[in-house]
Amino acid sequence: MNAPQDMSLQPALTPAQRSVFVRDGFLVMRQLASAERLNAMRSVVLDHVERHVAPIEYEADVAYPGAPESRSAEGGDTPRRLRQAYDRDRLFADWATDDRLTAIVAQLLESDAVWLSRNHHNCVMTKSPRYSTATAWHRDLRYWSFETPRLINAWLALGDETPANGCMRLLPGTHRMHFNADRMDADKFLREDLAENVELIDTAEDAALAPGDVLFFDAGALHAAGANATDERKLSIVTTYYGFDNAPVPGSRSAQLDPIPARMAPHA
Ligand SMILES: O=C(O)CCC(=O)C(=O)O
């Protein structure tokens, strides 16, 4: 276990910030990582992309519309996710368990202690200028198996994220909504051919981020992202957390790798 955190370093959310998260299911906190830290992480990411350091998910693997047909097709070996960020490099492990980051997560989860999942996200998202694909509207929870749906993702921008390079888009309030199965397609993406879904999608908000900003979002919030239409690779680190009042279902994919105790209760 990590040593008890120094509480003086830890940001307290304002009541307004908490209310936004409860209402919308997401919250952006600015400048949580220093330029020095971002540069160090970017260097590791670019090196791992260049050398194809496994485990990697390629654009061809996701088979989203417009993706290369196979890994051997043109653009098929474009990395989309560098998986297992926590075990990939100490810099990512330090970020995933950073005191200020987990202090915010703890407040959003309303749990003194926080687990980091190594089975979900725990990756560097790389959106390349060529061959990147858009991600349709979905909830991250769709294939996850936990006792409760109370999980939070932290999405750190290593560079600028804008609509032009495929920043995240979210549908406010959808983490609290129930959707009948027929509003989703076979892969559990929100169907865009239904009038009621189109009306909901019209409420989308872009999460434009500057380097060092973090988007916190409830794993039940519907979100999507475009392809990267710029000349520069977009890089983000995405980590997933849950409180000590939650646990993965034994035997499920969510329980495959042991979680990391990212934060202990004070004086535990
Ligand atoms: O950057 C993207 O395409 C969105 C990724 C995403 O939503 C996810 O991995 O759950």
Side-chain angles (χ1 to χ4, degrees):
M1 280 242 181
N2 302 340
Q5 287 86 7
D6 175 354
M7 297 306 284
S8 62
L9 293 173
Q10 299 172 16
L13 293 176
T14 64
Q17 287 168 327
R18 286 171 190 258
S19 304
V20 165
F21 188 81
V22 169
R23 183 193 64 202
D24 293 345
F26 58 92
L27 176 72
V28 174
M29 297 288 286
R30 306 283 175 196
Q31 301 293 295
L32 290 188
S34 68
E36 190 185 9
R37 189 175 208 175
L38 296 174
N39 285 337
M41 290 198 279
R42 282 183 71 87
S43 298
V44 174
V45 171
L46 294 174
D47 173 54
H48 285 206
V49 166
E50 181 72 22
R51 294 191 294 118
H52 289 256
V53 178
I56 292 184
E57 176 188 72
Y58 291 93
E59 283 289 348
D61 301 337
V62 292
Y64 288 164
E69 295 257 303
S70 67
R71 284 198 189 179
S72 55
E74 185 186 323
D77 65 347
T78 305
R80 183 177 176 91
R81 284 194 184 92
L82 304 182
R83 293 193 174 283
Q84 297 304 327
Y86 182 88
D87 295 295
R88 180 174 279 277
D89 192 281
R90 187 72 232 166
L91 287 179
F92 305 133
D94 286 347
W95 168 251
T97 55
D98 177 84
D99 273 359
R100 295 176 71 226
L101 178 74
T102 59
I104 294 169
V105 172
Q107 290 167 77
L108 296 175
L109 281 171
E110 297 177 38
S111 170
D112 284 341
V114 172
W115 291 109
L116 167 75
S117 171
R118 285 158 76 217
N119 300 302
H120 299 301
H121 286 309
N122 185 21
C123 69
V124 182
M125 299 285 305
T126 70
K127 213 160 236 194
S128 93
R130 298 184 71 198
Y131 308 113
S132 75
T133 52
T135 305
W137 295 102
H138 67 283
R139 284 177 150 156
D140 284 342
L141 280 175
R142 64 198 167 141
Y143 297 127
W144 299 2
S145 307
F146 282 82
E147 284 174 7
T148 85
R150 289 181 53 75
L151 292 104
I152 286 178
N153 300 315
W155 180 290
L156 167 70
L158 296 188
D160 285 310
E161 305 209 3
T162 64
N165 68 5
C167 72
M168 288 278 281
R169 308 184 70 213
L170 298 105
L171 301 180
T174 48
H175 61 307
R176 288 183 282 112
M177 292 181 188
H178 170 75
F179 293 90
N180 286 337
D182 61 2
R183 290 185 68 179
M184 305 289 168
D185 69 16
D187 294 320
K188 301 194 181 176
F189 287 107
L190 192 68
R191 286 176 53 189
E192 297 188 30
D193 59 334
L194 298 179
E196 58 185 333
N197 287 351
V198 171
E199 205 174 304
L200 189 62
I201 291 169
D202 281 346
T203 67
E205 291 184 14
D206 292 330
L209 303 175
D213 292 350
V214 178
L215 164 70
F216 294 91
F217 63 106
D218 188 296
L222 278 164
H223 60 281
N228 184 352
T230 70
D231 294 335
E232 226 179 291
R233 206 181 284 276
K234 179 166 83 63
L235 305 174
S236 338
I237 297 179
V238 195
T239 42
T240 297
Y241 304 90
Y242 54 96
F244 277 18
D245 55 347
N246 199 1
V249 173
S252 70
R253 196 186 129 219
S254 299
Q256 223 164 21
L257 295 175
D258 288 340
I260 302 297
R263 186 179 191 80
M264 288 188 298
H267 316 301

